[in-house]
Amino acid sequence: MNNHKGTLIVISGPSGVGKGTVVNMLLQRLKDAVLSVSCTTRAPREGEKNGKSYFFISKETFLKMIDEGGFLEYSNHFENYYGTPRFFVEQKLEEDKDVILEIDVDGAANVKKQFPDALLLMITPPSREELVRRLKLRGTEDEVLIEQRLRRADYEMSRSNFYDYTVINDDLEQTVENILKIVENRRKGIK
Ligand code: 5GP
Protein backbone atom coordinates (compact mmCIF):
# COMPACT_ATOMS: atom_id res chain seq x y z
CA MET A 1 0.00 0.00 0.00
CA ASN A 2 2.82 2.43 0.80
CA ASN A 3 5.13 1.64 -2.11
CA HIS A 4 4.25 4.87 -3.92
CA LYS A 5 6.84 7.57 -4.59
CA GLY A 6 4.57 10.54 -3.99
CA THR A 7 4.67 12.12 -0.55
CA LEU A 8 1.52 12.59 1.46
CA ILE A 9 1.91 16.05 3.00
CA VAL A 10 -0.44 16.80 5.87
CA ILE A 11 -0.80 20.43 6.86
CA SER A 12 -2.59 21.39 10.05
CA GLY A 13 -2.84 24.53 12.10
CA PRO A 14 -5.43 26.64 13.81
CA SER A 15 -8.06 28.57 11.89
CA GLY A 16 -6.73 31.96 10.87
CA VAL A 17 -3.07 30.91 10.78
CA GLY A 18 -2.92 31.34 7.01
CA LYS A 19 -2.88 27.67 6.01
CA GLY A 20 -4.93 28.30 2.88
CA THR A 21 -2.50 30.89 1.53
CA VAL A 22 0.51 28.73 2.38
CA VAL A 23 -1.05 25.73 0.65
CA ASN A 24 -1.84 27.75 -2.49
CA MET A 25 1.75 28.97 -2.68
CA LEU A 26 3.05 25.42 -2.19
CA LEU A 27 0.84 24.16 -5.01
CA GLN A 28 2.32 26.75 -7.33
CA ARG A 29 5.88 25.83 -6.47
CA LEU A 30 5.76 22.10 -5.96
CA LYS A 31 5.70 20.45 -9.34
CA ASP A 32 3.48 17.36 -9.36
CA ALA A 33 1.70 18.24 -6.12
CA VAL A 34 -2.06 18.18 -5.93
CA LEU A 35 -4.49 19.28 -3.25
CA SER A 36 -7.07 16.93 -1.85
CA VAL A 37 -10.40 18.76 -1.68
CA SER A 38 -12.26 17.72 1.45
CA CYS A 39 -15.97 17.19 1.90
CA THR A 40 -17.76 19.16 4.59
CA THR A 41 -21.27 19.57 5.91
CA ARG A 42 -20.64 23.18 6.96
CA ALA A 43 -22.13 26.04 4.95
CA PRO A 44 -19.87 27.77 2.43
CA ARG A 45 -18.32 31.07 3.52
CA GLU A 46 -18.51 34.00 1.20
CA GLY A 47 -16.32 33.44 -1.82
CA GLU A 48 -15.92 29.69 -1.27
CA LYS A 49 -16.64 27.62 -4.34
CA ASN A 50 -18.05 24.11 -4.35
CA GLY A 51 -15.42 21.63 -5.55
CA LYS A 52 -12.58 24.10 -4.99
CA SER A 53 -12.58 25.06 -1.30
CA TYR A 54 -14.59 22.01 -0.32
CA PHE A 55 -17.25 19.72 -1.65
CA PHE A 56 -20.20 21.06 0.32
CA ILE A 57 -22.47 18.10 0.95
CA SER A 58 -25.42 17.30 3.21
CA LYS A 59 -25.01 15.43 6.48
CA GLU A 60 -27.02 12.59 4.98
CA THR A 61 -24.62 12.21 2.05
CA PHE A 62 -21.64 12.48 4.39
CA LEU A 63 -22.94 9.69 6.63
CA LYS A 64 -23.59 7.53 3.59
CA MET A 65 -20.00 8.07 2.41
CA ILE A 66 -18.73 7.03 5.86
CA ASP A 67 -20.74 3.82 5.63
CA GLU A 68 -19.36 3.08 2.19
CA GLY A 69 -15.76 3.59 3.34
CA GLY A 70 -15.44 6.62 1.09
CA PHE A 71 -13.26 8.60 3.51
CA LEU A 72 -9.58 8.13 4.23
CA GLU A 73 -10.29 9.94 7.48
CA TYR A 74 -12.95 12.24 8.82
CA SER A 75 -13.63 14.22 11.95
CA ASN A 76 -16.39 16.23 13.44
CA HIS A 77 -16.05 19.62 15.03
CA PHE A 78 -18.00 22.86 15.32
CA GLU A 79 -20.97 20.49 14.84
CA ASN A 80 -19.89 19.81 11.27
CA TYR A 81 -18.23 16.90 9.55
CA TYR A 82 -15.03 17.20 7.54
CA GLY A 83 -13.52 14.32 5.57
CA THR A 84 -10.87 13.39 3.02
CA PRO A 85 -12.24 11.46 0.04
CA ARG A 86 -10.23 8.24 -0.14
CA PHE A 87 -10.26 7.54 -3.86
CA PHE A 88 -8.59 10.77 -5.04
CA VAL A 89 -5.69 10.51 -2.58
CA GLU A 90 -4.96 6.86 -3.28
CA GLN A 91 -5.15 7.39 -7.02
CA LYS A 92 -2.78 10.38 -7.02
CA LEU A 93 -0.24 8.65 -4.78
CA GLU A 94 -0.35 5.69 -7.17
CA GLU A 95 0.49 8.15 -9.94
CA ASP A 96 3.51 9.23 -7.83
CA LYS A 97 2.11 12.68 -7.20
CA ASP A 98 2.57 14.50 -3.91
CA VAL A 99 -0.79 14.99 -2.25
CA ILE A 100 -1.43 17.84 0.17
CA LEU A 101 -4.09 17.40 2.85
CA GLU A 102 -5.17 20.43 4.84
CA ILE A 103 -6.83 18.75 7.79
CA ASP A 104 -7.14 18.98 11.57
CA VAL A 105 -5.04 17.22 14.21
CA ASP A 106 -7.47 14.32 14.69
CA GLY A 107 -7.51 13.67 10.95
CA ALA A 108 -3.71 13.87 10.82
CA ALA A 109 -3.42 11.19 13.52
CA ASN A 110 -5.70 8.91 11.51
CA VAL A 111 -3.71 9.47 8.32
CA LYS A 112 -0.44 8.69 10.10
CA LYS A 113 -1.83 5.31 11.18
CA GLN A 114 -2.58 4.39 7.57
CA PHE A 115 0.41 6.14 5.98
CA PRO A 116 3.30 6.02 8.47
CA ASP A 117 5.57 7.82 6.00
CA ALA A 118 3.23 10.81 5.63
CA LEU A 119 4.93 14.14 6.33
CA LEU A 120 3.07 15.96 9.10
CA LEU A 121 3.49 19.73 9.27
CA MET A 122 1.93 22.00 11.87
CA ILE A 123 1.70 25.70 11.07
CA THR A 124 1.46 27.97 14.09
CA PRO A 125 1.07 31.73 14.50
CA PRO A 126 3.94 33.79 15.98
CA SER A 127 1.74 34.26 19.09
CA ARG A 128 -1.80 33.68 20.31
CA GLU A 129 -2.42 37.45 20.20
CA GLU A 130 -1.51 37.45 16.53
CA LEU A 131 -3.97 34.62 15.91
CA VAL A 132 -6.77 36.59 17.59
CA ARG A 133 -5.90 39.58 15.43
CA ARG A 134 -5.94 37.53 12.22
CA LEU A 135 -9.24 35.84 13.07
CA LYS A 136 -10.89 39.20 13.73
CA LEU A 137 -9.40 40.65 10.58
CA ARG A 138 -10.90 37.85 8.50
CA GLY A 139 -14.28 39.17 9.63
CA THR A 140 -16.24 36.16 8.41
CA GLU A 141 -17.27 35.03 11.87
CA ASP A 142 -18.98 36.54 14.88
CA GLU A 143 -17.48 36.79 18.38
CA VAL A 144 -18.94 33.49 19.61
CA LEU A 145 -17.50 31.60 16.66
CA ILE A 146 -14.15 33.30 17.08
CA GLU A 147 -14.09 32.20 20.75
CA GLN A 148 -14.94 28.66 19.66
CA ARG A 149 -12.16 28.67 17.08
CA LEU A 150 -9.66 29.98 19.63
CA ARG A 151 -10.46 27.15 22.02
CA ARG A 152 -10.02 24.73 19.14
CA ALA A 153 -6.76 26.47 18.21
CA ASP A 154 -5.39 25.87 21.72
CA TYR A 155 -6.25 22.18 21.35
CA GLU A 156 -4.69 21.95 17.88
CA MET A 157 -1.44 23.63 18.98
CA SER A 158 -1.23 21.43 22.09
CA ARG A 159 -0.84 18.48 19.70
CA SER A 160 2.06 19.93 17.72
CA ASN A 161 4.65 17.60 19.28
CA PHE A 162 2.95 14.77 17.38
CA TYR A 163 3.98 16.42 14.09
CA ASP A 164 7.23 15.96 12.17
CA TYR A 165 7.77 19.72 12.01
CA THR A 166 6.22 22.88 13.41
CA VAL A 167 6.58 25.90 11.15
CA ILE A 168 5.86 29.36 12.55
CA ASN A 169 4.01 31.48 10.01
CA ASP A 170 5.47 34.89 10.69
CA ASP A 171 6.72 35.85 7.25
CA LEU A 172 4.69 34.09 4.55
CA GLU A 173 7.50 33.80 2.01
CA GLN A 174 9.86 32.38 4.65
CA THR A 175 7.22 29.90 5.80
CA VAL A 176 6.78 28.57 2.28
CA GLU A 177 10.56 28.38 1.77
CA ASN A 178 10.92 26.43 5.02
CA ILE A 179 8.27 23.94 3.99
CA LEU A 180 9.76 23.49 0.52
CA LYS A 181 13.10 22.70 2.13
CA ILE A 182 11.49 20.15 4.46
CA VAL A 183 9.73 18.45 1.52
CA GLU A 184 12.93 18.41 -0.51
CA ASN A 185 14.86 16.84 2.36
CA ARG A 186 12.15 14.23 2.81
CA ARG A 187 12.44 13.32 -0.86
CA LYS A 188 16.20 12.95 -0.46
CA GLY A 189 15.62 10.77 2.55
CA ILE A 190 17.05 13.31 5.02
CA LYS A 191 15.08 13.52 8.26
P1 5GP B 1 -12.77 25.52 8.23
O1 5GP B 1 -14.21 25.37 8.63
O2 5GP B 1 -12.13 26.71 8.87
O3 5GP B 1 -12.60 25.50 6.74
O4 5GP B 1 -12.00 24.24 8.76
C1 5GP B 1 -12.07 23.87 10.10
C2 5GP B 1 -11.05 22.78 10.37
O5 5GP B 1 -11.35 21.61 9.64
C3 5GP B 1 -9.62 23.16 9.98
O6 5GP B 1 -8.76 22.82 11.05
C4 5GP B 1 -9.35 22.30 8.77
O7 5GP B 1 -7.97 22.01 8.64
C5 5GP B 1 -10.15 21.07 9.12
N1 5GP B 1 -10.43 20.23 7.96
C6 5GP B 1 -10.71 20.62 6.71
N2 5GP B 1 -10.89 19.55 5.92
C7 5GP B 1 -10.73 18.46 6.70
C8 5GP B 1 -10.77 17.04 6.44
O8 5GP B 1 -11.00 16.56 5.34
N3 5GP B 1 -10.54 16.24 7.51
C9 5GP B 1 -10.29 16.71 8.75
N4 5GP B 1 -10.06 15.83 9.71
N5 5GP B 1 -10.23 18.02 9.01
C10 5GP B 1 -10.44 18.89 8.01
Side-chain angles (χ1 to χ4, degrees), residues 19 38 42 45 54 73 75 77 82-84 103-104 149:
K19 273 173 301 179
S38 297
R42 86 150 160 73
R45 293 194 194 111
Y54 285 103
E73 62 74 36
S75 70
H77 52 100
Y82 295 82
T84 304
I103 61 177
D104 69 357
R149 283 180 186 273

Side-chain angles (χ1 to χ4, degrees), residues 39 50 101 127:
C39 294
N50 193 25
L101 305 184
S127 66

Side-chain angles (χ1 to χ4, degrees), residues 11-16 19 36-40 42 45 48 54 71 73-78 82-85 102-108 138 141 149 152 156:
I11 298 195
S12 304
S15 271
K19 273 173 301 179
S36 159
V37 177
S38 297
C39 294
T40 184
R42 86 150 160 73
R45 293 194 194 111
E48 285 185 330
Y54 285 103
F71 290 115
E73 62 74 36
Y74 67 91
S75 70
N76 179 315
H77 52 100
F78 309 131
Y82 295 82
T84 304
E102 189 198 318
I103 61 177
D104 69 357
V105 290
D106 300 332
R138 190 158 81 177
E141 274 121 345
R149 283 180 186 273
R152 179 75 196 183
E156 298 254 334

Side-chain angles (χ1 to χ4, degrees), residues 8-35:
L8 191 51
I9 304 167
V10 177
I11 298 195
S12 304
S15 271
V17 79
K19 273 173 301 179
T21 313
V22 169
V23 166
N24 283 335
M25 287 170 75
L26 285 174
L27 285 168
Q28 281 168 16
R29 302 209 202 160
L30 276 174
K31 255 195 276 148
D32 277 343
V34 291
L35 176 68

Side-chain angles (χ1 to χ4, degrees), residues 4 6 90-97:
H4 49 80
E90 290 185 348
Q91 188 192 40
K92 293 297 166 191
L93 289 176
E94 286 282 311
E95 291 170 11
D96 294 335
K97 298 238 190 287

